[in-house]
Structure formats: C-alpha cells, structure tokens
Amino acid sequence: MSDESIPENKGIPNFARRAQRGVSSAASSERFLDTREKRIQRRFSIREVCDFLGMSRSVVKEWMDAEDAPTPIFKGRENTLSLHDIMKLRALAASRKPIPGARSRKPTLFWRKPGDPLPVITFSSQKGGVAKSLTAASVAQFSSLYHGLRVGLIDSDAQATLSLYFADTSIDVAGIDTETFTKFMGVPTPGEEPLQHTDEELDAFWQKTPWPGVRLIPGGAPIQEADISMFLMSQGKDPKKRRVYRLLKDTIDRWSAAHPPKTQPEDLRDENGKFLDDKFEAALNETFDLIIIDCAPALTLTQLNSVVAATTLIVPNTLKGFDLSTLGVYLSSLDDYFTFTQSDINPIEFPPLPSYILPTNVEAGNHSDVELVGELYGNDPEVICPVYFQHSAAVANAAKDYLSIYEYDPPKSRKRSADLFKANADAVADAILTRASPNIQPRGFANAFLKEKYEGVIPPWTPEPEEASDTDRDVSDDENDSMKVEV
Ligand SMILES: Nc1ncnc2c1ncn2[C@@H]1O[C@H](COP(=O)(O)OP(=O)(O)O)[C@@H](O)[C@H]1O
Ligand SMILES: [Mg+2]
C-alpha cells in the first residue's frame, strides 16, 4: 500500500492501488477537515446546564457566583458555558466541604472510587448502518454531560465513524498508520512478534479529545490487517498464545490496574477551601469511569476482542424481517464463540450484568415495529431494551457532519424535532448506563419513555428519582450563606 508505483494493469490489484490513491486524497478534502476543525464550538445555556446537573436554577446560580466558578460568555440572548466549564462546575460543587448537621447533598460528580469496577460497554452487531456508532457517541456524551464521567472510547472499526464524532484535527483518524486498539493490545504486523508496551506506553494510546476527560483510541486501517496477524498468532502450540480473543480484555485490565481512580472530589481543594485547578485537570485524565467500544459490523477476531472485553454488550439492530434474521445469525455465532472460550481452563470472567438488543430506527407510525419490540420483550424481558431509538429526520442532518444530537445546534425550523430526538437519546442512554454501571444514579428519562410509549404495561426501568422541585436545593439556606464565605 505504501509502494508508490502503479502496477501495470493486471486486474484487481491494479484497481486497488489506483483507487486508494484517489480516495485518500478525497478523504482529506475540505468538508472532512472542516468538521474536525470546528469541534467543539457548541456552548450550553444555563437552562441546559441545569438539566445536565439535575439542579434548580437557583442552586446553579449560587454555584456560578462562587469565587472559582467559570465565567459565562454572553451569546445570543443568554449566558453560556463550555463543556469544560460544566465539568468544572460539577467538580466545584462536589468538592465543597460538608457542613456538619446539614442534609446530605445530591452528588454531582460520579467518578469511580478506589476499588470500583470499570464498566465497559460494547456496541456490536452484524449489520452496518443500524446506529451503533451514533448510539456509542451519544451514550458517551450523555455520560459526560449528565454525570461528569471520564470516558475512554475505543473505535474498533477501520471506518472510524465513532472517532469522527470526537476527533479534532490533532488526532490521526482512519489512516494507514493510525495507532489503533489492535496495536494497543499488542498485535504486530503479520508474522512478527507480539508488541510489548509499558504501562505509560499503553496510556499514551488514549488521545485527548475536545471533551474534558474523554480520550479516544481512534479507528484506522491497521484494524483490518490485525485479523490476519491474530490468526497467525493463534497457530502456536502454547495455549496462552491461542487465546487471541482476549487480548483487548487483558490489556484493558492491565492498563486499568496501572491507572486506578485516586483523586476524589474532596481532594480538589486545599485546606483553606481553595479549588486546585491543576489537580482537577490532572484528575480528568487520571483514569476512566466508563469505557465505550464501537465495533465494525462483523464478528471477526478483532471484533470478538471488543465483545469479550465488555462488561455489557449492546446489540443495536433495526427490526425489519431480514434484519432480524441477520441478528439471529450474529447471536448464534456469538453463542458458538462463547461455548469455545468458556470451555478453556481459563474462561473469561464476566460480571453478572445484563446485556441488550437495542431496537433502532423504529418507525413511530409502524405498528409492526413497535409490536415486535413488545413481542421480544414478552418472550424475555432480560434481552431486549424496551427503550428504543425512533427514526428521526433531525438526526440525519446532524450526523452528516458527525455531530451527535448533544453537539448539534439546530436551526429554528428543526429545533422541535431535534429536541424530541435528544429526549429519545437521553432515555436510551439513561436506560443503558444505569444497567451497565449500577453506581450511576438514574435520571428518570428511561422511565418517562416507558410511561409514554407503553402506558404502564412495562414497569419502570429504575426506581423513580426524587421529584425535582425547589426541594432539590441540595443544601440548607444556612449552608448556602456559609458557602459564599467558604468558597
Ligand atoms: N434514529 C435514527 N433516525 C434517522 N437516522 C438515523 C437514526 N439512527 C441512525 N441514523 C442514520 O444512520 C446512519 C448510520 O448510523 P451509524 O451510527 O453510523 O450506524 P453503524 O455504526 O451501525 O454503521 C447515520 O448516518 C445516521 O444518520
Ligand atoms: Mg459504525
């Protein structure tokens, strides 16, 4: 591929060389770069910030008045905050010293504590175009916006769709030499010895994105080559070498052991209550609270690694007849693979968490789609997520530029449909995240969806969160007063 000369026309090899030249120059064309250059300019109104934090306006206003609080920028007709500002606001609130005798506070930062497990959610299915990448991006951004999670993203698709939702121009995406997860997990070029990385080298694979605390191992061409390497690796006599399906899991475990959660919110201030910005910035990249993996539409060895590394598997799929039969084939292959891996003397340990088929692109007016969700749920409520993604015209406009619904700032005429789709994305993410990571507090979005769509036939997904009203003031008035002095 790197050889410059064009072979004389001997059919397909000649085509491959010529065509890839043309396409790779088009790939760096303006629009592609433009999207990444503009990432991320979206700012959020105080009203949106209140929604993300789950706090009333008066509480957020008070936090904004504190000495170290981020300075909003007046834009349009309102004050706005950046993503980084929102994360800092969470940390400021979470790090305040508790007041003896005051009511306990609603948490604002859901960082892992030492010893907490690291959830890994993998999005995988046999079919392309079923919203795997869109859902992966949206769950990751929801986790950051609504819970302040630090998220590790692994794009295990050479097409690098997930990467394009996050990367700015500083990250090499979808290239021939992109440092992908296959290199992270030590897969060499075909026929060579497996790569050995130090803990620091492993950490360097995660590249910073414009989202605070969100780092990415981008997708790219080496992922395809890795399947051949891994097949060759698996041919040895040593049974350890034959376990090529668990390289990613073992690598994440090793990285995770070397980069555990250390900093807690209360460590972010000195003894005088001053907020420690350096410590906060360092803590953003200290570890992850969640890893999200987006797969290519296949069950090859590389993709099997992405499934085996998961603690929760989400299988997005549309529900048309033919798509369901593809889904059946995928699930039976997966079942066969696990029969093989779990019969090993050293089987993979999975935590007892649920995994789900996620219906996507469901046509609201199409009763057979919705009935099918009901039928699958009736057969086994443990395998299908009844909170599904509805088809939306709004998302196509945003997705063209690799913007998730959270980053998309629609023109007025599209505002309503964009808001509806955002509410849908909130519900799906709330449903997935609360089951994948039991430490995360439900926000009630999944429950609201179930109530609206199934009118009580399907029970609430999670216990109802406390009613949000003025009583959601998380501190007593006394404390608010003292806070102004304290912070
Ligand atoms: N709910 C939806 N409504 C309308 N279009 C959607 C929806 N979900 C996904 N799409 C479109 O489908 C396309 C494929 O989505 P993507 O997430 O890249 O799928 P996959 O990763 O499974 O290949 C995207 O361009 C997106 O615009
Ligand atoms: Mg994809």
Side-chain angles (χ1 to χ4, degrees), residues 320-334:
K320 307 286 175 254
F322 184 70
D323 302 350
L324 269 190
S325 71
T326 318
L327 176 61
V329 171
Y330 170 85
L331 294 170
S332 93
S333 306
L334 203 58

Side-chain angles (χ1 to χ4, degrees), residues 17-253:
R17 180 149 307 161
R18 297 185 104 109
Q20 63 111 358
R21 282 194 174 178
V23 171
S24 52
S25 69
S28 59
S29 75
E30 307 224 325
R31 206 173 93 207
F32 190 73
L33 271 177
D34 200 41
T35 304
R36 289 161 62 197
E37 261 160 22
K38 282 195 303 216
R39 174 142 300 147
I40 168 180
Q41 295 180 345
R42 175 90 155 85
R43 298 183 64 86
F44 298 87
S45 69
I46 303 296
R47 184 183 53 76
E48 288 172 308
V49 173
C50 292
D51 282 348
F52 295 147
L53 292 161
M55 295 286 170
S56 71
R57 209 177 171 91
S58 57
V59 169
V60 172
K61 274 229 157 100
E62 261 163 34
W63 292 351
M64 296 283 300
D65 285 340
E67 188 190 314
D68 299 294
T71 315
I73 294 180
F74 200 73
K75 209 176 159 215
R77 282 176 315 182
E78 51 197 355
N79 271 330
T80 61
L81 293 183
S82 69
L83 287 173
H84 189 270
D85 294 340
I86 299 172
M87 186 66 96
K88 182 164 171 188
L89 202 58
R90 282 185 185 283
L92 278 166
S95 59
R96 284 171 303 149
K97 284 211 171 58
I99 304 290
R103 270 200 299 146
S104 67
R105 292 175 171 138
K106 229 158 117 178
T108 50
L109 199 57
F110 294 81
W111 287 1
R112 283 191 302 145
K113 296 185 176 57
D116 282 353
L118 173 58
V120 180
I121 309 178
T122 292
F123 293 84
S124 164
S125 74
Q126 189 79 46
K127 244 185 95 63
V130 293
K132 287 182 295 296
S133 303
L134 189 85
T135 314
S138 116
V139 172
Q141 297 185 358
F142 176 93
S143 307
S144 169
L145 288 167
Y146 286 85
H147 299 282
L149 302 193
R150 296 160 297 186
V151 186
L153 300 168
I154 296 179
D155 193 338
S156 86
D157 188 350
Q159 291 193 44
T161 311
L162 179 70
S163 308
L164 291 173
Y165 279 101
F166 287 89
D168 58 16
T169 47
S170 71
I171 302 182
D172 173 27
V173 169
I176 303 286
D177 301 317
T178 302
E179 304 254 291
T180 68
F181 83 104
T182 52
K183 196 167 176 194
F184 173 71
M185 65 190 192
V187 177
T189 37
E192 292 183 5
E193 280 301 302
L195 309 167
Q196 309 287 341
H197 303 298
T198 64
D199 291 343
E200 287 70 42
E201 282 166 351
L202 277 185
D203 198 48
F205 276 89
W206 301 101
Q207 301 191 48
K208 284 188 186 165
T209 74
W211 286 73
V214 177
R215 286 181 289 157
L216 163 75
I217 303 183
I223 294 170
Q224 297 186 146
E225 223 169 61
D227 273 308
I228 299 166
S229 302
M230 286 161 78
F231 171 74
L232 296 174
M233 282 164 78
S234 73
Q235 296 304 293
K237 289 228 163 58
D238 180 356
K240 256 185 160 166
K241 282 198 178 148
R242 273 188 265 146
R243 296 188 190 116
V244 287
Y245 49 83
R246 56 177 299 161
L247 297 177
L248 182 57
K249 183 189 168 46
D250 293 343
T251 309
I252 289 177
D253 285 349

Side-chain angles (χ1 to χ4, degrees), residues 127-134 161 361 389-392 395-396 399 421:
K127 244 185 95 63
V130 293
K132 287 182 295 296
S133 303
L134 189 85
T161 311
N361 238 323
F389 256 126
Q390 227 162 281
H391 176 80
S392 157
V395 66
F421 192 67

